[in-house]
């Protein structure tokens, strides 16, 4: 497992505890050290808690990008049943950086759509590191329209560094694909529940990000630009990543305070990658509660409330005085 | 006075030429020295190679809107700096220094006016204001312009000229994409036309929202239009980009826009389109 800079002490203590445990199993002569182990375990919990409740923007970004962090398909497997993946944009595009399909959530049919990163090198390339071509967004739109047609609620999971910046992406209308998705999602007559599970990278995130509720996992991030991009443009210095991350206010805590998102979903201590099962339980609970609330509304109410939500985004003054 | 002094005085050699007398400029298109008055007379298009110089919002209004009909709206909206953003300089200071240069409308001017035969609602980007970047003020002004179009049942025109989202407003700048796209959806439901005009440059969050959602999308010749900037693409794919990539003509060839229109023909083209789109019920038209 990749160890992040700020996790070193935690891992050192974990190793120490593990050594003591195996030592006590191996040799009787060690005597009873269970008290000592309990003490250290308590210390570890406190340490993890202290470190992970005070993560700054750049540290959160590193957790959000952790190579072992659960991805969309990991959550689908643990939260839904009867998942039937659906492929293709019907216009010549496959769109592997976005996955989607129908599934059962409790007894309810849902359409689940999310960005998908790859775990090993081969899959990373196949998924283009979660950076979608227009085909991925068009596939997502097609699936959303299918859901709307059959009154099926939509759940989207955001996890992308951003929309892919490439020659072919431009030729096929990356801008148009993203714009059209927002334009369509705002008017869908079914509930749309959006959760940022990892990286919420700009337009590529928004392309499946217009919904009735926007939730974020505790250590996910959501931003108009990456800290690296921001540092190199505004500071002219690639090393100013930490300052850029702080300035952008990209953590779930920041965004809840700014009233851009509705809810933060707690992650297991040490981050979602430490315990997939527990992370999935947390997400499932939040999805269930929010979906339950949303299906109370009529289609007209949903559309109206969703419109008002996005209409009110932005902070400005009337200048005079 | 020696013959030399007389010579100097008569010829004026060595005298400082006042700045205002600079009357030539190098065209960015053909690199020729062009007489500035010629360019001005030609709607700021190079008479030699047709290169379209970037123009400010006021000039654009004068090229598109009938004289004396433009009425500006929401000119008092200013950014509230919600993130208290500071890079090498405070965002607030950046805003102030831009305003001091005479651009006090944020990066967008909105208003109502008459274009040819049609009353229209108009949004025009001001590139001189922080690269025409879109923050909360730009998003709000566009949205209000759309709402005004619905209220007055007027067609909508947006002339884009922007590098994209304004980083200094973080997530709020991103959300303006969703906000403006949402408002356009409402406009569409009221069956009111929206003509999107793309000028050099139209990229990033502006291109990936309202700019690409026009019922008809027109672009000026040579305008750079795209989602990602060419430098970002080059860095990502580690290759040189092909000649003409992301230019208006390239987008036309790839089916992404309706037409490339010369600046001198833009008003007339939009006027014609609006007349053609005006919904005359078929029964009435036949009778």
């Amino acid at each position: 497992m990749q160890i992040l800079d700020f996790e070193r002490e935690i891992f050192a203590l974990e190793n120490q505890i593990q050594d003591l445990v195996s030592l006590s199993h191996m040799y009787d002569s060690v005597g009873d050290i269970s008290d000592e182990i309990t003490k250290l375990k308590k210390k570890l919990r406190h340490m993890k808690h202290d470190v992970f409740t005070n993560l700054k923007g750049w540290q959160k970004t590193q957790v959000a990008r952790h190579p072992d962090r659960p991805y969309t398909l990991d959550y689908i497997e643990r939260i839904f049943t009867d998942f039937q993946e659906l492929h293709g944009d019907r216009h010549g595009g496959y769109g592997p950086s976005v996955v989607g399909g129908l599934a059962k959530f409790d007894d309810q049919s849902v359409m689940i759509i999310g960005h998908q990163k790859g775990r090993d090198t081969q899959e990373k390339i196949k998924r283009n590191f979660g950076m979608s071509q227009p085909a991925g967004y068009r596939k997502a739109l097609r699936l959303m329209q299918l859901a709307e047609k059959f009154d099926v609620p939509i759940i989207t999971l955001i996890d992308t560094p951003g929309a892919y910046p490439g020659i072919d992406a431009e030729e096929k209308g990356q801008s148009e694909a993203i714009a059209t998705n927002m334009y369509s999602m705002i008017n869908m007559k079914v509930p749309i529940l959006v959760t940022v599970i990892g990286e919420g990278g700009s337009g590529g995130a928004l392309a499946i990000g217009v919904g009735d509720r926007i939730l974020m996992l505790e250590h996910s991030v959501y931003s108009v630009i990456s800290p690296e991009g921001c540092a190199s443009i505004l500071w002219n210095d690639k090393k100013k990543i930490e300052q850029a991350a702080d300035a952008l206010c990209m953590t779930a805590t920041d965004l809840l305070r700014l009233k851009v998102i509705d809810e933060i979903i707690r992650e297991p201590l040490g981050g979602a990658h430490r315990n997939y099962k527990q992370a999935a339980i947390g997400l499932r609970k939040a999805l269930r509660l929010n979906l339950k609330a949303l299906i109370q509304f009529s289609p007209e109410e949903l559309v109206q409330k969703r419109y008002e939500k996005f209409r009110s985004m932005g902070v400005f003054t009337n200048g005079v005085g | 006075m020696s013959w030399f002094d007389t010579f100097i005085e008569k010829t004026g050699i060595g005298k400082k030429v006042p700045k205002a007398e600079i009357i030539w400029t190098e065209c960015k298109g053909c690199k020729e020295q062009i007489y500035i008055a010629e360019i001005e007379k030609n709607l700021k298009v190079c008479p030699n190679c047709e290169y379209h110089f970037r123009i400010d919002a006021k000039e654009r209004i004068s090229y598109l809107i009938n004289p004396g009909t433009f009425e500006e709206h929401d000119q008092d909206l200013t950014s509230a700096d919600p993130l208290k953003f500071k890079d090498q300089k405070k965002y607030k200071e950046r805003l102030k220094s831009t305003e001091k240069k005479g651009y006090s409308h944020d990066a967008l001017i909105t208003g109502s006016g008459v274009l040819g035969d049609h009353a229209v609602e108009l949004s025009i980007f001001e590139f001189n204001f922080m690269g025409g970047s879109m923050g909360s003020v730009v998003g709000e002004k566009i949205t209000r312009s759309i709402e005004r179009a619905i209220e007055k049942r007027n067609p909508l025109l947006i002339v884009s000229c922007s590098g994209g989202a304004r980083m200094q407003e973080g997530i709020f700048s991103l959300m303006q994409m969703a906000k403006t796209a949402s408002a356009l959806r409402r406009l569409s439901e009221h069956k009111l036309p929206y003509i999107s005009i793309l000028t050099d440059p139209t990229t990033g969050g502006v291109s990936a929202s309202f700019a690409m959602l026009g019922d008809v999308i027109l672009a000026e010749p040579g305008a750079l239009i795209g989602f990602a900037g060419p430098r970002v693409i080059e860095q990502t794919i580690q290759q040189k980009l092909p000649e003409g990539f992301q230019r208006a003509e390239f987008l036309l060839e790839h089916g992404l826009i309706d037409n490339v229109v010369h600046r001198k023909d833009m008003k007339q083209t939009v006027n014609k389109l609006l007349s053609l789109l005006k919904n005359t019920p078929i029964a009435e038209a036949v009778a």
Side-chain angles (χ1 to χ4, degrees):
Chain A
M1 182 172 287
Q2 187 188 324
I3 300 170
L4 304 171
D5 276 349
F6 53 87
E7 291 182 306
R8 283 187 203 290
E9 271 186 61
I10 292 172
F11 273 83
L13 190 56
E14 267 180 353
N15 286 340
Q16 196 188 340
I17 292 170
Q18 225 162 25
D19 287 349
L20 282 179
V21 170
S22 45
L23 210 64
S24 69
H25 289 323
M26 269 192 282
Y27 306 107
D28 286 343
S29 60
V30 175
D32 186 10
I33 51 166
S34 57
D35 275 0
E36 183 65 18
I37 292 172
T38 314
K39 235 192 262 170
L40 286 177
K41 277 188 175 165
K42 196 176 164 193
K43 188 180 166 191
L44 177 68
R45 258 201 319 278
H46 282 293
M47 189 191 277
K48 270 192 190 172
H49 184 267
D50 287 348
V51 169
F52 276 85
T53 44
N54 293 307
L55 293 184
K56 306 262 281 174
W58 174 240
Q59 295 171 321
K60 290 250 190 202
T61 308
Q62 289 172 285
V63 179
R65 292 177 186 170
H66 198 288
D68 297 315
R69 193 167 172 84
Y71 298 149
T72 292
L73 287 172
D74 298 310
Y75 285 117
I76 290 180
E77 188 187 316
R78 286 168 179 81
I79 295 174
F80 306 97
T81 55
D82 300 324
F83 178 58
Q84 177 61 55
E85 190 172 355
L86 302 169
H87 296 281
D89 73 353
R90 298 285 194 276
H91 292 280
Y94 184 53
S97 311
V98 173
V99 294
L102 289 158
K104 281 280 182 207
F105 184 40
D106 300 333
D107 287 328
Q108 167 87 53
S109 282
V110 292
M111 181 65 82
I112 166 99
I113 297 164
H115 301 104
Q116 181 65 33
K117 295 177 175 175
R119 195 68 67 190
D120 57 36
T121 310
Q122 206 184 348
E123 208 203 345
K124 278 190 172 110
I125 292 166
K126 178 186 163 193
R127 304 289 186 188
N128 201 26
F129 304 89
M131 293 185 286
S132 186
Q133 296 272 359
Y137 305 126
R138 291 186 179 130
K139 170 168 84 176
L141 179 60
R142 182 179 77 80
L143 298 187
M144 289 189 272
Q145 285 164 341
L146 176 64
E148 188 184 28
K149 182 171 169 183
F150 293 99
D151 288 327
V152 171
I154 298 164
I155 292 172
T156 71
L157 302 180
I158 291 176
D159 190 14
T160 178
Y164 183 62
I167 293 181
D168 42 353
E170 296 288 330
E171 284 176 346
K172 293 192 172 116
Q174 190 68 287
S175 288
E176 188 274 342
I178 294 169
T180 300
N181 276 25
M182 297 186 293
Y183 184 78
S184 307
M185 290 179 86
I186 199 67
N187 216 34
M188 296 245 162
K189 312 274 186 300
V190 291
I192 304 177
L193 189 48
V194 177
T195 308
V196 186
I197 58 167
E199 282 184 275
S202 199
L206 255 190
I208 58 166
V210 176
D212 305 301
R213 296 275 167 89
I214 306 171
L215 322 178
M216 276 179 84
L217 286 190
E218 186 181 354
H219 301 307
S220 65
V221 290
Y222 195 0
S223 176
V224 66
I225 188 168
S226 70
E228 292 94 327
C230 183
S232 87
I233 296 171
L234 291 184
W235 274 266
N236 230 331
D237 180 355
K238 282 183 184 158
K239 291 197 194 97
K240 302 285 186 203
I241 296 173
E242 288 178 31
Q243 285 95 318
D246 286 341
L248 285 166
C249 296
M250 59 199 290
T251 70
T253 321
D254 289 328
L255 297 173
L256 188 67
R257 171 174 58 82
L258 295 169
K259 299 194 175 73
V260 172
I261 63 160
D262 301 290
E263 191 179 318
I264 299 174
I265 305 167
R266 294 277 155 240
E267 290 186 27
L269 204 51
H273 59 285
R274 292 297 208 105
N275 191 333
Y276 280 27
K277 192 179 162 195
Q278 215 186 316
I281 289 172
L283 179 57
R284 180 199 290 145
K285 200 175 143 200
L287 293 178
R288 185 181 284 144
L289 283 172
N290 280 287
L291 204 55
K292 214 172 160 186
L294 289 177
I295 50 180
Q296 310 293 324
F297 294 113
S298 70
E300 293 71 30
E301 283 173 318
L302 280 173
V303 170
Q304 181 59 25
K305 279 178 191 292
R306 195 183 305 141
Y307 184 81
E308 284 162 13
K309 181 184 186 68
F310 284 89
R311 174 66 186 85
S312 67
M313 295 268 186
V315 184
F316 50 87
T317 58
N318 246 325
V320 200
Chain B
M1 203 181 268
S2 73
W3 70 267
F4 185 73
D5 292 329
T6 320
F7 173 77
I8 292 286
E9 202 177 89
K10 272 190 181 164
T11 55
I13 290 171
K15 256 193 194 165
K16 274 189 185 165
V17 180
K19 264 197 175 158
E21 284 183 30
I22 294 173
I23 53 170
W24 302 89
T25 191
E26 191 191 86
C27 171
K28 283 183 194 159
C30 59
K31 311 284 174 208
E32 293 283 324
Q33 290 294 318
I34 311 284
Y35 192 36
I36 290 176
E38 279 286 308
I39 299 172
E40 300 276 351
K41 210 169 64 189
N42 202 29
L43 308 181
K44 294 222 169 152
V45 175
C46 173
N48 192 37
C49 74
E50 305 284 304
Y51 173 80
H52 283 52
F53 284 84
R54 198 171 286 154
I55 57 176
D56 68 26
K58 290 225 166 84
E59 287 170 302
R60 181 74 64 184
I61 292 166
S62 75
Y63 297 162
L64 287 176
I65 298 299
N66 300 358
T69 65
F70 184 76
E71 185 200 341
E72 189 176 349
H73 301 302
D74 301 319
Q75 57 267 54
D76 294 329
L77 293 195
T78 51
S79 172
D81 187 16
L83 308 186
K84 309 214 172 351
F85 197 96
K86 183 177 173 243
D87 46 80
Q88 298 180 73
K89 204 173 167 184
K90 279 187 181 160
Y91 175 38
K92 278 230 157 111
E93 284 167 19
R94 270 185 209 274
L95 290 169
K96 263 188 204 147
S97 64
T98 313
E99 279 167 21
K100 271 187 197 146
K101 285 181 203 153
Y103 298 100
S104 57
H105 310 262
D106 206 286
L108 187 85
I109 293 186
T110 55
S112 313
V114 180
L115 183 149
D117 309 317
H118 305 273
V120 297
E121 296 306 317
L122 187 68
S123 292
I124 297 181
F125 272 82
E126 185 71 87
F127 193 80
N128 293 308
F129 196 103
M130 297 185 72
S133 56
M134 172 164 65
S136 297
V137 172
V138 169
E140 179 69 19
K141 277 182 158 185
I142 288 180
T143 306
R144 288 188 189 184
S145 183
I146 297 168
E147 287 166 347
R148 221 171 270 120
I150 294 172
E151 198 186 307
K152 291 158 76 175
R153 293 209 57 80
N154 279 345
L156 176 80
L157 208 65
I158 302 178
V159 184
S160 296
C161 183
S162 167
R166 188 174 298 167
M167 278 172 281
Q168 289 89 345
E169 291 191 28
I171 195 82
F172 289 111
S173 64
L174 185 70
M175 291 301 158
Q176 302 312 305
M177 295 168 63
K179 174 164 149 179
T180 52
S182 304
L184 283 175
R185 180 69 195 227
R186 296 231 150 160
L187 183 81
S188 177
E189 272 162 27
H190 285 85
K191 300 195 182 230
L192 293 162
Y194 160 38
I195 313 283
S196 174
I197 299 177
L198 315 180
T199 71
D200 186 53
T202 298
T203 55
V206 165
S207 134
S209 58
F210 53 84
M212 279 296 165
L213 290 172
D215 292 308
V216 177
I217 306 176
L218 305 174
E220 282 198 337
L224 179 80
I225 303 156
F227 174 68
R231 248 188 317 162
V232 174
I233 300 175
E234 261 179 358
Q235 278 166 13
T236 309
I237 62 171
Q238 305 282 330
Q239 283 172 36
K240 267 250 159 266
L241 296 172
E243 181 75 23
F245 179 64
Q246 290 185 315
R247 296 289 164 187
E249 297 73 14
F250 172 93
L251 272 87
L252 183 67
E253 279 165 27
H254 285 85
L256 298 168
I257 57 174
D258 288 283
N259 221 343
V260 177
V261 179
H262 193 288
R263 193 171 284 162
K264 70 173 160 42
D265 302 323
M266 192 59 90
K267 181 173 178 176
Q268 189 192 324
T269 307
V270 174
N271 189 41
K272 184 170 144 192
L273 276 167
L274 292 179
S275 299
L276 290 167
L277 286 169
K278 207 166 204 175
N279 183 19
T280 312
I282 293 168
E284 270 179 47
V286 174

